[in-house]
Amino acid sequence: MQGVDIAPESFIDPKMEGIFTTAASRVVAHEYSQEKIKDLEMMIRYYKERSNALTVTCRIPTEVLGAIFQEVIDRDELNMLGPESPRKKPNLRWIRSICISHICTHWRRAALSNPTLWSDIPIANTFWAKEMIKRSKMSPLTIKYSGTLCSVRQSQPNASDCYNVLKDILSSHVSHIGILILDITLSFIGDPSYNYIKEKQENDERMMELFRPLRQPAPMMTYLQVCLYPEAKAEIPNTITMGLSPLQHLKLMDCNMSWEMAALEHLKSLSLSHLSMGTHPSLLTLLSQTPLLESLEVEVEMHEPLQPPPSMTPIHLKQLEHIEISMSLRNCAVLLDHLNFARRPRAIKLRLIDSKLGFRKLDNSLAISLMRGLAEKFESGVEGSVLKLKVGDEIQCWKSTPDSRMPELANKPTIEVSFSDAYSNNIKDAFWQSLCLDQLSSLDVEGRLESDSWLSFCDLSYLRSLRVYGNEYETLSLLERGIAAMPDVPNLRPSFVRLRTLTFAEWYLHTNFGNINKKTVAQQMISCFRLRKQAGLQLDLLRLQDCGDADTEVMDRLKDYIHEVIVDNSGSLRDGETDSDGESETEPSEIVSDY
């Protein structure tokens, strides 16, 4: 095998040939070779640039490349990083910007000419934070800070540098900050020898330093979030929004303040969680300053019952579409009673908690009255008819929309009410019993209902789909009403005359049904559906969900009286899946004949 020539014989530089016997000659030759290498590297770089410029990716206009780069760095990394909380997820946008700018010269020029690529400032990296401030020029900045205000902890040596960078940015560049997110951990050293009061004082002083620049005009800021951990309840100045006239989104968590805030007239979303209200009318006063509000989330601890001033008029929030409130029943009722949201809401979520603040607890009759008032508020204040209802530990209902009579099954409920353990079943039932259910087409019962409560459903004209968890005796008894021979009972109208799809969840089919006829639940089911078929009320579909003792004999007997019977013991069936019969929901124009 012939050897490979490392140095081509076709090129020789006479100045590098010969024998360099002296040190001076070797130095001269070395300097000469280094100059040649630099010249050749420049030539190579030139030809590479010219060659790259001929490729498709380098012929894309700078403006188009900038838009593509923006899509790349804005990619949502939540799905890639798993289920950990968003607060702990690393900010990758600035790293992507740096990587893009190191691909080739054309891409680097395109990246550097697009200031928005450098507007997401990484406070945790103090060098790049300062560099990206320069590259962002005057584009709206996104500032996200997650850390402590205390610099004495040995485990966080960089905390002081990050805090100083954040303070400098707020002081010098507040006029072009668009988004400001502060997740601040006010942790204190557990060492008894350390002065806890002194450290708390340091935290308070640093907090004031951070928020002081917000008194200045910030014409670009549209989003402000301040979250203090863990439940520090630290005091922040009520002048926090003084200079934020264009502010559209405000989120505060675990903060104390007097709530006499200004510059809220353009606010579109407001989230207040784990807060302590200083005075009882302050929340209503705050909301009265937000006429353009579209989303409201409130989780507030009230030191006393919410009592609006006598002169308080209803607060008109005509754009409000999303409401989420966590309060005691009394305060929730007072708050919603003073809100006029013009029938626009598409998502209302209430979490009624048991107040532990010492003022008089509600008696049962007053609680029922307040629940009925809430239902009437939503009935008259939210557009559409209730088409789907879920009753259990929480109550969910779906209302029709202007675009579609039947809401999409995957959509979240229009109204959702959950309760703490302090609320009895009759208080919960008072809510859905006060709703207008004459257009109800789908019902899901996951809790135990008394016979009187069932009577609210059995005569509904448009109810076509029913899912029942437990309640074996009540359900089968009502299904037989008006069609089974009952001595000494006057003729009754049959129940559920439009029912087409029925699901029994976790029924024990071979247990005794009542104490009179000594039948099993399965035998009673067979008898019930035989009678319904004879009366012309045959089901299209019966689904037995997680009824583990449904044997072949029972299935065969049921199929004699029902078009289709499905057994599902996988435990995977969830409320909201499409019925297998594929029928559309009944339209209001279809009238049910009397029996």
Side-chain angles (χ1 to χ4, degrees), residues 21 65 144 313 433 568:
T21 56
L65 268 182
K144 299 178 182 178
T313 58
Q433 288 173 349
D568 183 353

Side-chain angles (χ1 to χ4, degrees), residues 70-358:
Q70 194 69 53
E71 289 292 327
V72 171
I73 69 169
D74 286 343
R75 282 186 307 175
D76 186 9
E77 60 263 28
L78 298 184
N79 294 331
M80 298 186 293
L81 298 175
E84 60 182 332
S85 66
R87 179 172 175 260
K88 296 180 181 180
K89 295 181 185 300
N91 178 12
L92 302 182
R93 296 182 79 252
W94 68 280
I95 298 178
R96 291 175 182 152
S97 299
I98 296 172
C99 291
I100 287 172
S101 67
H102 283 71
I103 301 299
C104 66
T105 302
H106 180 63
W107 281 27
R108 180 173 179 81
R109 289 170 182 166
L112 292 178
S113 65
N114 189 350
T116 58
L117 295 182
W118 312 97
S119 61
D120 199 336
I121 310 302
I123 302 297
N125 189 308
T126 55
F127 170 79
W128 275 108
K130 297 175 182 178
E131 179 63 26
M132 292 179 75
I133 286 286
K134 298 176 183 177
R135 297 184 181 184
S136 65
K137 300 179 181 178
M138 290 302 295
S139 62
L141 301 178
T142 296
I143 307 296
K144 299 178 182 178
Y145 176 75
S146 179
T148 67
L149 294 181
C150 184
S151 61
V152 299
R153 296 178 68 91
Q154 297 299 322
S155 60
Q156 297 175 328
N158 195 39
S160 181
D161 291 340
C162 293
Y163 168 78
N164 290 329
V165 170
L166 175 64
K167 185 177 65 172
D168 292 343
I169 292 175
L170 292 181
S171 300
S172 305
H173 304 281
V174 69
S175 60
H176 63 283
I177 294 178
I179 298 174
L180 177 59
I181 298 176
L182 302 177
D183 291 349
I184 300 173
T185 301
L186 298 180
S187 56
F188 299 96
I189 296 177
D191 185 358
S193 63
Y194 191 78
N195 192 329
Y196 171 88
I197 298 177
K198 180 181 178 181
E199 186 172 6
K200 184 178 185 305
Q201 185 178 0
E202 286 182 6
N203 280 330
D204 292 342
E205 291 175 355
R206 293 190 168 209
M207 189 87 71
M208 295 297 294
E209 283 181 336
L210 278 185
F211 293 125
R212 189 175 294 116
L214 298 183
R215 300 179 184 179
Q216 306 171 18
M220 294 187 181
M221 189 176 297
T222 59
Y223 186 98
L224 173 63
Q225 173 180 316
V226 180
C227 299
L228 306 182
Y229 302 92
E231 298 186 9
K233 296 292 189 299
E235 194 79 26
I236 63 176
N238 62 341
T239 55
I240 186 173
T241 61
M242 181 178 294
L244 312 181
S245 56
L247 191 65
Q248 297 182 5
H249 309 279
L250 176 62
K251 180 176 180 179
L252 301 175
M253 178 177 176
D254 283 315
C255 305
N256 279 341
M257 60 196 314
S258 63
W259 307 105
E260 296 175 357
M261 290 188 286
L264 301 179
E265 61 272 13
H266 299 292
L267 208 63
K268 291 184 177 180
S269 71
L270 175 63
S271 177
L272 308 173
S273 56
H274 301 128
L275 307 180
S276 295
M277 301 297 294
T279 57
H280 50 258
S282 53
L283 177 59
L284 290 171
T285 304
L286 181 68
L287 293 176
S288 65
Q289 305 174 43
T290 60
L292 302 181
L293 201 64
E294 298 176 1
S295 175
L296 173 63
E297 297 180 9
V298 179
E299 184 177 353
V300 177
E301 297 177 5
M302 309 296 289
H303 295 305
E304 53 189 32
L306 186 63
Q307 296 177 352
S311 59
M312 175 69 71
T313 58
I315 302 171
H316 297 280
L317 302 177
K318 296 182 179 181
Q319 308 300 321
L320 193 60
E321 294 187 350
H322 172 84
I323 303 172
E324 187 169 341
I325 299 174
S326 179
M327 285 183 175
S328 65
L329 173 57
R330 185 208 300 266
N331 287 334
C332 185
V334 173
L335 175 61
L336 291 174
D337 188 52
H338 283 77
L339 296 184
N340 184 345
F341 34 74
R343 298 174 61 83
R344 290 180 60 91
R346 286 285 145 245
I348 299 176
K349 186 173 183 179
L350 305 183
R351 180 174 175 266
L352 302 179
I353 60 177
D354 179 27
S355 176
K356 301 178 181 179
L357 298 176

